[in-house]
mmCIF file of all heavy atoms in Angstrom:
data_model
loop_
_atom_site.group_PDB
_atom_site.id
_atom_site.type_symbol
_atom_site.label_atom_id
_atom_site.label_comp_id
_atom_site.label_asym_id
_atom_site.label_seq_id
_atom_site.Cartn_x
_atom_site.Cartn_y
_atom_site.Cartn_z
ATOM 1 N N ASP G 190 1.614 2.211 21.029
ATOM 2 C CA ASP G 190 0.156 2.002 20.982
ATOM 3 C C ASP G 190 -0.158 0.713 20.238
ATOM 4 O O ASP G 190 -1.061 -0.028 20.611
ATOM 5 C CB ASP G 190 -0.523 3.163 20.239
ATOM 6 C CG ASP G 190 -0.713 4.355 21.167
ATOM 7 O OD1 ASP G 190 -0.385 4.220 22.367
ATOM 8 O OD2 ASP G 190 -1.193 5.405 20.688
ATOM 9 N N PHE G 322 0.172 15.286 32.982
ATOM 10 C CA PHE G 322 -0.007 14.549 31.718
ATOM 11 C C PHE G 322 -0.868 13.299 31.924
ATOM 12 O O PHE G 322 -1.109 12.875 33.065
ATOM 13 C CB PHE G 322 1.359 14.169 31.148
ATOM 14 C CG PHE G 322 2.095 15.339 30.546
ATOM 15 C CD1 PHE G 322 2.714 16.288 31.351
ATOM 16 C CD2 PHE G 322 2.130 15.513 29.166
ATOM 17 C CE1 PHE G 322 3.374 17.374 30.799
ATOM 18 C CE2 PHE G 322 2.791 16.597 28.605
ATOM 19 C CZ PHE G 322 3.410 17.533 29.420
ATOM 20 N N CYS G 323 -1.317 12.744 30.802
ATOM 21 C CA CYS G 323 -2.184 11.563 30.877
ATOM 22 C C CYS G 323 -1.412 10.357 31.427
ATOM 23 O O CYS G 323 -0.181 10.365 31.470
ATOM 24 C CB CYS G 323 -2.774 11.249 29.501
ATOM 25 S SG CYS G 323 -1.581 10.596 28.332
ATOM 26 N N ASP G 325 -0.913 7.490 30.154
ATOM 27 C CA ASP G 325 0.008 6.891 29.171
ATOM 28 C C ASP G 325 1.354 7.594 29.210
ATOM 29 O O ASP G 325 2.414 6.961 29.198
ATOM 30 C CB ASP G 325 -0.583 6.993 27.747
ATOM 31 C CG ASP G 325 -1.572 5.875 27.476
ATOM 32 O OD1 ASP G 325 -1.600 4.924 28.278
ATOM 33 O OD2 ASP G 325 -2.312 5.973 26.474
ATOM 34 N N CYS G 326 1.314 8.946 29.224
ATOM 35 C CA CYS G 326 2.564 9.712 29.220
ATOM 36 C C CYS G 326 3.348 9.451 30.501
ATOM 37 O O CYS G 326 4.577 9.349 30.483
ATOM 38 C CB CYS G 326 2.281 11.205 29.082
ATOM 39 S SG CYS G 326 1.837 11.653 27.402
ATOM 40 N N ARG G 329 5.125 6.456 30.073
ATOM 41 C CA ARG G 329 6.178 6.544 29.058
ATOM 42 C C ARG G 329 7.439 7.235 29.581
ATOM 43 O O ARG G 329 8.514 7.066 29.012
ATOM 44 C CB ARG G 329 5.670 7.359 27.850
ATOM 45 C CG ARG G 329 4.686 6.600 26.983
ATOM 46 C CD ARG G 329 3.968 7.548 26.045
ATOM 47 N NE ARG G 329 2.987 6.873 25.233
ATOM 48 C CZ ARG G 329 1.854 7.418 24.827
ATOM 49 N NH1 ARG G 329 1.558 8.671 25.153
ATOM 50 N NH2 ARG G 329 1.014 6.757 24.079
ATOM 51 N N MET G 335 10.365 9.656 24.507
ATOM 52 C CA MET G 335 10.133 10.264 23.192
ATOM 53 C C MET G 335 8.669 10.078 22.750
ATOM 54 O O MET G 335 8.123 10.890 22.018
ATOM 55 C CB MET G 335 11.066 9.637 22.173
ATOM 56 C CG MET G 335 11.493 10.653 21.139
ATOM 57 S SD MET G 335 12.826 10.012 20.168
ATOM 58 C CE MET G 335 13.074 11.377 19.071
ATOM 59 N N ARG G 336 8.091 8.983 23.211
ATOM 60 C CA ARG G 336 6.685 8.704 22.896
ATOM 61 C C ARG G 336 5.766 9.823 23.394
ATOM 62 O O ARG G 336 4.708 10.065 22.833
ATOM 63 C CB ARG G 336 6.209 7.414 23.563
ATOM 64 C CG ARG G 336 6.715 6.130 23.015
ATOM 65 C CD ARG G 336 5.588 5.407 22.267
ATOM 66 N NE ARG G 336 5.425 6.037 20.968
ATOM 67 C CZ ARG G 336 6.268 5.845 19.977
ATOM 68 N NH1 ARG G 336 7.287 5.042 20.108
ATOM 69 N NH2 ARG G 336 6.085 6.463 18.835
ATOM 70 N N ILE G 337 6.178 10.517 24.463
ATOM 71 C CA ILE G 337 5.342 11.595 25.011
ATOM 72 C C ILE G 337 5.085 12.634 23.918
ATOM 73 O O ILE G 337 3.976 13.155 23.785
ATOM 74 C CB ILE G 337 6.025 12.260 26.243
ATOM 75 C CG1 ILE G 337 6.186 11.218 27.350
ATOM 76 C CG2 ILE G 337 5.226 13.467 26.736
ATOM 77 C CD1 ILE G 337 6.886 11.737 28.600
ATOM 78 N N LEU G 338 6.094 12.881 23.094
ATOM 79 C CA LEU G 338 5.957 13.887 22.039
ATOM 80 C C LEU G 338 4.881 13.499 21.015
ATOM 81 O O LEU G 338 4.398 14.326 20.262
ATOM 82 C CB LEU G 338 7.299 14.090 21.303
ATOM 83 C CG LEU G 338 8.476 14.527 22.181
ATOM 84 C CD1 LEU G 338 9.749 14.580 21.353
ATOM 85 C CD2 LEU G 338 8.199 15.881 22.811
ATOM 86 N N ASP G 339 4.534 12.219 21.011
ATOM 87 C CA ASP G 339 3.572 11.694 20.049
ATOM 88 C C ASP G 339 2.163 11.633 20.645
ATOM 89 O O ASP G 339 1.226 11.181 19.992
ATOM 90 C CB ASP G 339 4.030 10.263 19.676
ATOM 91 C CG ASP G 339 3.480 9.814 18.346
ATOM 92 O OD1 ASP G 339 3.163 10.691 17.530
ATOM 93 O OD2 ASP G 339 3.382 8.592 18.124
ATOM 94 N N CYS G 340 2.005 12.093 21.888
ATOM 95 C CA CYS G 340 0.714 11.948 22.567
ATOM 96 C C CYS G 340 -0.332 12.871 21.952
ATOM 97 O O CYS G 340 -0.104 14.065 21.752
ATOM 98 C CB CYS G 340 0.866 12.274 24.051
ATOM 99 S SG CYS G 340 -0.710 12.136 24.915
ATOM 100 N N LYS G 341 -1.495 12.294 21.662
ATOM 101 C CA LYS G 341 -2.550 13.098 21.032
ATOM 102 C C LYS G 341 -3.312 13.882 22.096
ATOM 103 O O LYS G 341 -3.728 15.010 21.864
ATOM 104 C CB LYS G 341 -3.477 12.186 20.243
ATOM 105 C CG LYS G 341 -2.646 11.581 19.139
ATOM 106 C CD LYS G 341 -3.298 10.855 18.051
ATOM 107 C CE LYS G 341 -2.230 10.393 17.068
ATOM 108 N NZ LYS G 341 -1.314 9.359 17.585
ATOM 109 N N GLN G 342 -3.438 13.283 23.259
ATOM 110 C CA GLN G 342 -4.224 13.908 24.328
ATOM 111 C C GLN G 342 -3.562 15.176 24.866
ATOM 112 O O GLN G 342 -4.232 16.174 25.110
ATOM 113 C CB GLN G 342 -4.364 12.884 25.458
ATOM 114 C CG GLN G 342 -5.640 13.030 26.243
ATOM 115 C CD GLN G 342 -5.757 11.854 27.203
ATOM 116 O OE1 GLN G 342 -5.487 10.694 26.856
ATOM 117 N NE2 GLN G 342 -6.142 12.155 28.429
ATOM 118 N N ASP G 343 -2.253 15.123 25.041
ATOM 119 C CA ASP G 343 -1.562 16.250 25.691
ATOM 120 C C ASP G 343 -0.796 17.134 24.714
ATOM 121 O O ASP G 343 0.091 17.881 25.124
ATOM 122 C CB ASP G 343 -0.575 15.702 26.738
ATOM 123 C CG ASP G 343 -1.291 15.045 27.902
ATOM 124 O OD1 ASP G 343 -2.321 15.594 28.323
ATOM 125 O OD2 ASP G 343 -0.835 13.985 28.355
ATOM 126 N N ARG G 344 -1.163 17.055 23.442
ATOM 127 C CA ARG G 344 -0.284 17.725 22.460
ATOM 128 C C ARG G 344 -0.238 19.243 22.610
ATOM 129 O O ARG G 344 0.707 19.880 22.156
ATOM 130 C CB ARG G 344 -0.641 17.312 21.035
ATOM 131 C CG ARG G 344 -1.878 17.937 20.479
ATOM 132 C CD ARG G 344 -2.032 17.633 19.016
ATOM 133 N NE ARG G 344 -3.406 17.238 18.767
ATOM 134 C CZ ARG G 344 -3.786 16.376 17.857
ATOM 135 N NH1 ARG G 344 -2.904 15.802 17.100
ATOM 136 N NH2 ARG G 344 -5.049 16.094 17.705
ATOM 137 N N ASP G 345 -1.257 19.841 23.298
ATOM 138 C CA ASP G 345 -1.249 21.294 23.451
ATOM 139 C C ASP G 345 -0.624 21.770 24.760
ATOM 140 O O ASP G 345 -0.593 22.973 25.042
ATOM 141 C CB ASP G 345 -2.685 21.834 23.331
ATOM 142 C CG ASP G 345 -3.235 21.595 21.936
ATOM 143 O OD1 ASP G 345 -2.422 21.668 20.976
ATOM 144 O OD2 ASP G 345 -4.443 21.303 21.792
ATOM 145 N N MET G 349 5.127 20.674 25.791
ATOM 146 C CA MET G 349 5.354 19.989 24.506
ATOM 147 C C MET G 349 6.120 20.904 23.565
ATOM 148 O O MET G 349 7.054 20.478 22.891
ATOM 149 C CB MET G 349 4.025 19.605 23.856
ATOM 150 C CG MET G 349 3.319 18.481 24.543
ATOM 151 S SD MET G 349 4.203 16.921 24.367
ATOM 152 C CE MET G 349 2.846 15.781 24.423
#
Side-chain angles (χ1 to χ4, degrees):
D190 278 356
F322 286 76
C323 71
D325 278 347
C326 284
R329 286 166 182 147
M335 214 168 179
R336 288 252 78 75
I337 298 178
L338 302 175
D339 202 24
C340 179
K341 296 192 178 68
Q342 210 172 317
D343 293 320
R344 76 172 134 212
D345 295 325
M349 288 292 210

